[in-house]
Amino acid sequence: MKIIILLLLFSTFIFGAYAQECMSTDYLKKDTEWEMLNYDKKGKLTGMSKQAVVNTNHSGTLSEWEIKTTIFDKKKELIHEGTSTVQCEDGVYKMDMSEMMPAETLSSLESMKVTMEGTQIDFPTSLNQNTELEDGEMTITGSSGFMSFTMKMRVINRKIEGVETIETEAGTFECLKISQDTKIESKLVNKEYATITWFLPGFGAVRTESYNHKDKLMGYSELGALKN
């Protein structure tokens, strides 16, 4: 089984109006490693991903981090491995919005050859609850045998709900609670769901929960380990 996923398992981080330089983070350092665990609505493990910072480069106002990502299915079999680069210049972290792909949707694409291309999306790099968050969109194309498809995903109505402390297997973190609506459109499937993300500034998502139109939990992802 071969999957090609242009997947960047980070989100864009963006400073407030007064920030002029990229923030110094305790997490995005060379040799930092972490893993995200994906679960279904009943708490059953459906897959996981491992990330590691393999290289960093800081020059003037530009900072770059090379991230290695390895994705496994629920049987811990490798389904994707690759690297991506996070850039930060003049206080803005730049990253693809593929991070917004829910675990349950990603797992449904395991047997397909898939590419993803989307806009950048922003997250705050501080616990400032007044930061305005922009919408984003992504196009997913794939094929399996003689079948091919195109799917569009839009993330809208993004809002910071407050600051909450989240406890995971990796530790306890003070995070921004961010809500948003996600719409997926294709010729075969059209659905909308809500997502709550607990976001650690200077790192990324610590926990993400997806809910259907009846406000019932669909699945969630959680930080399982962090070594820095």
Side-chain angles (χ1 to χ4, degrees):
M1 176 174 57
K2 182 178 180 181
I3 299 180
I4 300 175
I5 305 177
L6 302 179
L7 183 63
L8 305 178
L9 293 178
F10 265 96
S11 300
T12 300
F13 312 137
I14 186 168
F15 276 103
Y18 300 103
Q20 299 297 323
E21 297 180 357
C22 294
M23 94 182 269
S24 175
T25 171
D26 292 331
Y27 300 103
L28 297 185
K29 296 180 178 180
K30 187 175 180 180
D31 298 327
T32 296
E33 300 177 353
W34 65 98
E35 64 181 35
M36 294 295 295
L37 305 177
N38 304 324
Y39 299 91
D40 63 15
K41 61 183 180 181
K42 296 182 179 180
K44 183 178 180 180
L45 186 68
T46 59
M48 66 179 296
S49 64
K50 292 185 178 182
Q51 291 81 31
V53 180
V54 296
N55 196 20
T56 63
N57 181 43
H58 305 281
S59 178
T61 60
L62 176 65
S63 295
E64 295 181 327
W65 296 266
E66 183 181 358
I67 311 297
K68 179 181 178 181
T69 298
T70 310
I71 303 175
F72 301 89
D73 63 16
K74 61 183 177 182
K75 296 181 181 180
K76 297 185 178 181
E77 295 182 356
L78 178 67
I79 62 173
H80 172 72
E81 185 175 36
T83 60
S84 60
T85 301
V86 179
Q87 289 187 330
C88 181
E89 187 171 18
D90 296 327
V92 178
Y93 283 79
K94 301 177 181 180
M95 184 55 61
D96 191 273
M97 71 159 286
S98 300
E99 167 73 4
M100 310 310 296
M101 173 64 69
E104 58 272 11
T105 301
L106 183 59
S107 64
S108 70
L109 302 175
E110 289 181 1
S111 61
M112 301 182 182
K113 180 180 178 181
V114 178
T115 61
M116 302 181 188
E117 182 177 356
T119 61
Q120 296 173 345
I121 197 167
D122 64 313
F123 282 91
T125 53
S126 70
L127 294 175
N128 181 4
Q129 300 182 50
N130 296 319
T131 304
E132 294 185 1
L133 304 178
E134 297 181 354
D135 297 341
E137 63 180 42
M138 178 170 63
T139 299
I140 306 157
T141 58
S143 62
S144 178
F146 296 102
M147 289 184 55
S148 62
F149 71 93
T150 299
M151 180 186 302
K152 291 186 177 181
M153 185 176 78
R154 294 192 298 130
V155 178
I156 60 176
N157 302 326
R158 304 178 66 226
K159 180 181 179 182
I160 298 176
E161 303 288 352
V163 176
E164 292 186 358
T165 300
I166 295 296
E167 184 175 350
T168 73
E169 295 181 12
T172 301
F173 307 93
E174 188 175 19
C175 301
L176 287 169
K177 181 180 180 181
I178 300 175
S179 64
Q180 64 190 31
D181 295 322
T182 301
K183 293 184 177 181
I184 295 180
E185 301 174 346
S186 70
K187 292 183 177 180
L188 300 177
V189 177
N190 289 283
K191 62 180 180 179
E192 183 175 349
Y193 55 89
T195 302
I196 302 293
T197 298
W198 286 267
F199 182 84
L200 177 62
F203 175 67
V206 170
R207 181 181 173 92
T208 299
E209 299 176 352
S210 299
Y211 295 85
N212 62 20
H213 65 284
K214 296 182 179 179
D215 292 329
K216 292 186 178 181
L217 182 67
M218 298 166 55
Y220 63 95
S221 299
E222 187 173 89
L223 184 65
L226 174 61
K227 177 183 177 182
N228 65 330

